[in-house]
Amino acid sequence: MKTVKIGLLGLGNIGTGTYKTLELNRDEIESTLKAKVDIVRILERDVDRDRGIHVPPEKFTSDPDSIFTDPDIDIVIELLGGIEPATSFMLSAMENGKHVVTANKAAVAANYPRIMETAEKNGVMFKYEASVGGGIPILTSIDGPLRANKFHEVLGILNGTTNYIMTMMTKEGLDYNTALKEAQAKGFAEADPTADVEGIDAANKLSILMALMFDQYVHPEDIPTTGISAITKEDIESARADSCVIKLIAKASKNDDGSLNYEVRPMRLKESHPLASINMEFNAVFVEGNAVGELMFYGKGAGPLPTGSAVMGDVMEIVRRVL
Ligand code: HSE
């Protein structure tokens, strides 16, 4: 039986969730692929951290080139987070003929055209399902079963941390800082949660969605963005008095002349609105296509195992398609 060899960049929350997903479902994954799957090398400095998994120490390396130039490695999974060095590493991996899978929305959104060009030029697959909506298969659906549509609009709750915070403040009366600490402890938040609470993470995801849906790349820094850090208990109570909830919403729509409108900001939604009942770390993405009509995707948008599920799904798709 063939063995698919993987180099993993980063064994933080999502790296560990990916490793656990593979261990949890190894029998099913390998029998589906009719191939063994081996994470052979891991770029990670923190070798001693207790992650609740057993990783043979010889798999760890501090030399990224030992992964990119290893002719035996088929796929590189990038889970370092942040724009650099993650982008340069992904480009190097592709230039060395490796297929790449990532969950890194900041890197993908900041460098979308360059990454896509590099994948095409080098004849490798680049998969990034986990970068938007955690475990929700939104990108694959847009690029596959929904490809025959022209899209008018996308509206979503795209950040699990802020949705968790808003839910805990609204339903449990928690204060902002306690709710944020809980979201961090559960592995939802970015290393620097400023990206979550200021809406930057949601803007990264909206940029990726727009590139795929509308074939127009908008740099995330050009998306008007307001986060939730200024929302107070009084704002939440005042919304409640009007039968509304406050949610961090990412929104884009296409005008008749082809131009786009886009923004990320906290919005008041009527309690009867479909997105008003999306709570905790769940995400929901509403899209409208001219043939399919309205669709809503719902699922866990953050967390090690839901995100690991999407990463491993991409790995499996590469193995099935090209290895
Ligand atoms: N920090 C992100 C979130 C992780 O809370 O949604 C998933 O992209």
Short mmCIF file of all heavy atoms in Angstrom, two decimals, residues 280-312:
data_model
loop_
_atom_site.label_atom_id
_atom_site.label_comp_id
_atom_site.label_asym_id
_atom_site.label_seq_id
_atom_site.Cartn_x
_atom_site.Cartn_y
_atom_site.Cartn_z
N MET A 280 -22.62 30.68 20.25
CA MET A 280 -21.33 30.11 20.67
C MET A 280 -20.29 30.22 19.53
O MET A 280 -20.26 31.22 18.85
CB MET A 280 -21.49 28.66 21.15
CG MET A 280 -22.58 28.48 22.19
SD MET A 280 -22.30 29.47 23.67
CE MET A 280 -21.19 28.42 24.58
N GLU A 281 -19.48 29.17 19.33
CA GLU A 281 -18.43 29.27 18.31
C GLU A 281 -18.95 28.87 16.93
O GLU A 281 -18.15 28.74 15.98
CB GLU A 281 -17.22 28.41 18.69
CG GLU A 281 -17.36 26.91 18.49
CD GLU A 281 -17.96 26.18 19.67
OE1 GLU A 281 -18.79 26.77 20.40
OE2 GLU A 281 -17.60 24.99 19.86
N PHE A 282 -20.24 28.67 16.80
CA PHE A 282 -20.79 28.30 15.49
C PHE A 282 -20.70 29.49 14.54
O PHE A 282 -20.77 30.64 14.94
CB PHE A 282 -22.24 27.83 15.63
CG PHE A 282 -22.34 26.42 16.15
CD1 PHE A 282 -22.25 26.17 17.51
CD2 PHE A 282 -22.48 25.35 15.28
CE1 PHE A 282 -22.30 24.87 17.99
CE2 PHE A 282 -22.54 24.05 15.75
CZ PHE A 282 -22.44 23.81 17.11
N ASN A 283 -20.51 29.16 13.26
CA ASN A 283 -20.54 30.15 12.17
C ASN A 283 -21.72 29.80 11.28
O ASN A 283 -22.20 28.66 11.27
CB ASN A 283 -19.28 30.06 11.30
CG ASN A 283 -18.04 30.70 11.91
OD1 ASN A 283 -17.03 30.88 11.23
ND2 ASN A 283 -18.07 31.06 13.19
N ALA A 284 -22.18 30.78 10.53
CA ALA A 284 -23.17 30.51 9.49
C ALA A 284 -22.87 31.41 8.31
O ALA A 284 -22.48 32.57 8.48
CB ALA A 284 -24.57 30.76 10.00
N VAL A 285 -23.01 30.86 7.12
CA VAL A 285 -22.77 31.64 5.91
C VAL A 285 -23.98 31.49 5.01
O VAL A 285 -24.38 30.38 4.66
CB VAL A 285 -21.51 31.14 5.15
CG1 VAL A 285 -21.12 32.15 4.08
CG2 VAL A 285 -20.35 30.89 6.09
N PHE A 286 -24.57 32.65 4.70
CA PHE A 286 -25.73 32.69 3.82
C PHE A 286 -25.24 33.16 2.45
O PHE A 286 -24.56 34.17 2.35
CB PHE A 286 -26.74 33.67 4.42
CG PHE A 286 -27.86 34.04 3.51
CD1 PHE A 286 -29.04 33.31 3.51
CD2 PHE A 286 -27.75 35.13 2.66
CE1 PHE A 286 -30.08 33.64 2.66
CE2 PHE A 286 -28.79 35.47 1.81
CZ PHE A 286 -29.95 34.73 1.81
N VAL A 287 -25.56 32.40 1.40
CA VAL A 287 -25.18 32.84 0.05
C VAL A 287 -26.41 32.79 -0.85
O VAL A 287 -27.35 32.02 -0.61
CB VAL A 287 -24.05 31.98 -0.59
CG1 VAL A 287 -22.76 32.09 0.18
CG2 VAL A 287 -24.46 30.52 -0.72
N GLU A 288 -26.38 33.62 -1.88
CA GLU A 288 -27.47 33.58 -2.84
C GLU A 288 -26.89 33.48 -4.24
O GLU A 288 -26.10 34.32 -4.67
CB GLU A 288 -28.34 34.83 -2.72
CG GLU A 288 -29.65 34.64 -3.47
CD GLU A 288 -30.44 35.93 -3.59
OE1 GLU A 288 -30.20 36.86 -2.81
OE2 GLU A 288 -31.28 35.97 -4.50
N GLY A 289 -27.26 32.43 -4.95
CA GLY A 289 -26.83 32.24 -6.34
C GLY A 289 -28.02 32.37 -7.26
O GLY A 289 -29.16 32.09 -6.85
N ASN A 290 -27.77 32.76 -8.53
CA ASN A 290 -28.91 33.05 -9.41
C ASN A 290 -29.65 31.80 -9.86
O ASN A 290 -30.81 31.87 -10.24
CB ASN A 290 -28.48 33.90 -10.62
CG ASN A 290 -27.52 33.17 -11.53
OD1 ASN A 290 -26.87 32.22 -11.12
ND2 ASN A 290 -27.45 33.61 -12.77
N ALA A 291 -29.00 30.64 -9.81
CA ALA A 291 -29.70 29.40 -10.16
C ALA A 291 -30.20 28.68 -8.91
O ALA A 291 -31.35 28.26 -8.83
CB ALA A 291 -28.79 28.50 -10.98
N VAL A 292 -29.33 28.58 -7.93
CA VAL A 292 -29.67 27.75 -6.76
C VAL A 292 -30.60 28.49 -5.78
O VAL A 292 -31.32 27.86 -5.00
CB VAL A 292 -28.37 27.29 -6.05
CG1 VAL A 292 -27.69 28.42 -5.31
CG2 VAL A 292 -28.64 26.14 -5.10
N GLY A 293 -30.58 29.82 -5.80
CA GLY A 293 -31.36 30.59 -4.82
C GLY A 293 -30.59 30.75 -3.52
O GLY A 293 -29.37 30.83 -3.53
N GLU A 294 -31.33 30.80 -2.42
CA GLU A 294 -30.70 31.06 -1.12
C GLU A 294 -30.22 29.76 -0.48
O GLU A 294 -30.92 28.74 -0.53
CB GLU A 294 -31.70 31.73 -0.19
CG GLU A 294 -32.16 33.09 -0.70
CD GLU A 294 -33.21 33.72 0.20
OE1 GLU A 294 -33.71 33.03 1.12
OE2 GLU A 294 -33.52 34.89 -0.02
N LEU A 295 -29.02 29.82 0.13
CA LEU A 295 -28.46 28.66 0.84
C LEU A 295 -27.85 29.14 2.14
O LEU A 295 -27.27 30.23 2.18
CB LEU A 295 -27.32 28.04 0.04
CG LEU A 295 -27.61 27.10 -1.12
CD1 LEU A 295 -26.29 26.80 -1.82
CD2 LEU A 295 -28.23 25.81 -0.62
N MET A 296 -27.95 28.31 3.19
CA MET A 296 -27.25 28.68 4.42
C MET A 296 -26.42 27.50 4.91
O MET A 296 -26.90 26.38 4.98
CB MET A 296 -28.22 29.12 5.49
CG MET A 296 -27.47 29.77 6.64
SD MET A 296 -28.41 31.02 7.47
CE MET A 296 -28.85 30.14 8.93
N PHE A 297 -25.16 27.78 5.22
CA PHE A 297 -24.23 26.77 5.74
C PHE A 297 -24.04 27.06 7.22
O PHE A 297 -23.87 28.22 7.61
CB PHE A 297 -22.88 26.88 5.04
CG PHE A 297 -22.93 26.55 3.58
CD1 PHE A 297 -23.34 27.50 2.65
CD2 PHE A 297 -22.59 25.29 3.12
CE1 PHE A 297 -23.39 27.20 1.30
CE2 PHE A 297 -22.64 24.98 1.77
CZ PHE A 297 -23.04 25.94 0.86
N TYR A 298 -24.00 26.01 8.04
CA TYR A 298 -23.95 26.20 9.48
C TYR A 298 -23.05 25.13 10.11
O TYR A 298 -23.12 23.96 9.72
CB TYR A 298 -25.38 26.06 10.03
CG TYR A 298 -25.50 25.96 11.53
CD1 TYR A 298 -25.31 27.08 12.32
CD2 TYR A 298 -25.81 24.75 12.15
CE1 TYR A 298 -25.43 26.99 13.70
CE2 TYR A 298 -25.94 24.66 13.52
CZ TYR A 298 -25.74 25.78 14.29
OH TYR A 298 -25.85 25.70 15.65
N GLY A 299 -22.23 25.51 11.03
CA GLY A 299 -21.40 24.52 11.72
C GLY A 299 -20.37 25.20 12.59
O GLY A 299 -20.35 26.43 12.72
N LYS A 300 -19.49 24.38 13.19
CA LYS A 300 -18.49 24.95 14.09
C LYS A 300 -17.41 25.68 13.29
O LYS A 300 -16.72 25.07 12.48
CB LYS A 300 -17.88 23.85 14.96
CG LYS A 300 -18.83 23.44 16.07
CD LYS A 300 -18.22 22.53 17.08
CE LYS A 300 -19.25 22.25 18.16
NZ LYS A 300 -18.92 21.08 18.97
N GLY A 301 -17.29 26.97 13.55
CA GLY A 301 -16.39 27.82 12.78
C GLY A 301 -15.01 27.95 13.39
O GLY A 301 -14.14 28.59 12.81
N ALA A 302 -14.81 27.38 14.55
CA ALA A 302 -13.50 27.49 15.22
C ALA A 302 -13.33 26.27 16.11
O ALA A 302 -14.29 25.58 16.45
CB ALA A 302 -13.43 28.77 16.04
N GLY A 303 -12.07 26.03 16.48
CA GLY A 303 -11.77 24.92 17.38
C GLY A 303 -10.89 23.90 16.68
O GLY A 303 -10.97 23.73 15.47
N PRO A 304 -10.03 23.24 17.46
CA PRO A 304 -9.04 22.34 16.88
C PRO A 304 -9.62 21.19 16.05
O PRO A 304 -9.15 20.93 14.93
CB PRO A 304 -8.29 21.81 18.11
CG PRO A 304 -8.46 22.89 19.14
CD PRO A 304 -9.82 23.47 18.91
N LEU A 305 -10.62 20.48 16.55
CA LEU A 305 -11.10 19.32 15.78
C LEU A 305 -11.94 19.70 14.57
O LEU A 305 -11.72 19.15 13.48
CB LEU A 305 -11.86 18.34 16.69
CG LEU A 305 -10.96 17.46 17.58
CD1 LEU A 305 -11.81 16.51 18.43
CD2 LEU A 305 -9.95 16.66 16.79
N PRO A 306 -12.90 20.65 14.67
CA PRO A 306 -13.62 21.04 13.45
C PRO A 306 -12.65 21.55 12.37
O PRO A 306 -12.80 21.23 11.18
CB PRO A 306 -14.55 22.16 13.92
CG PRO A 306 -14.79 21.85 15.37
CD PRO A 306 -13.48 21.29 15.87
N THR A 307 -11.66 22.33 12.77
CA THR A 307 -10.71 22.86 11.78
C THR A 307 -9.82 21.73 11.26
O THR A 307 -9.54 21.63 10.06
CB THR A 307 -9.88 24.00 12.40
OG1 THR A 307 -10.79 24.90 13.05
CG2 THR A 307 -9.10 24.77 11.33
N GLY A 308 -9.40 20.84 12.18
CA GLY A 308 -8.60 19.67 11.77
C GLY A 308 -9.37 18.80 10.79
O GLY A 308 -8.79 18.22 9.86
N SER A 309 -10.68 18.71 10.97
CA SER A 309 -11.53 17.94 10.05
C SER A 309 -11.43 18.51 8.65
O SER A 309 -11.28 17.76 7.66
CB SER A 309 -12.98 17.98 10.58
OG SER A 309 -13.90 17.73 9.56
N ALA A 310 -11.51 19.84 8.52
CA ALA A 310 -11.43 20.47 7.20
C ALA A 310 -10.04 20.31 6.59
O ALA A 310 -9.90 20.08 5.39
CB ALA A 310 -11.80 21.95 7.30
N VAL A 311 -9.00 20.42 7.42
CA VAL A 311 -7.63 20.26 6.92
C VAL A 311 -7.44 18.84 6.37
O VAL A 311 -6.95 18.64 5.25
CB VAL A 311 -6.60 20.56 8.04
CG1 VAL A 311 -5.19 20.17 7.59
CG2 VAL A 311 -6.63 22.03 8.43
N MET A 312 -7.86 17.86 7.15
CA MET A 312 -7.67 16.47 6.70
C MET A 312 -8.54 16.17 5.48
O MET A 312 -8.16 15.37 4.62
CB MET A 312 -7.97 15.49 7.84
CG MET A 312 -6.83 15.34 8.84
SD MET A 312 -5.20 15.06 8.10
CE MET A 312 -5.46 13.54 7.17
#
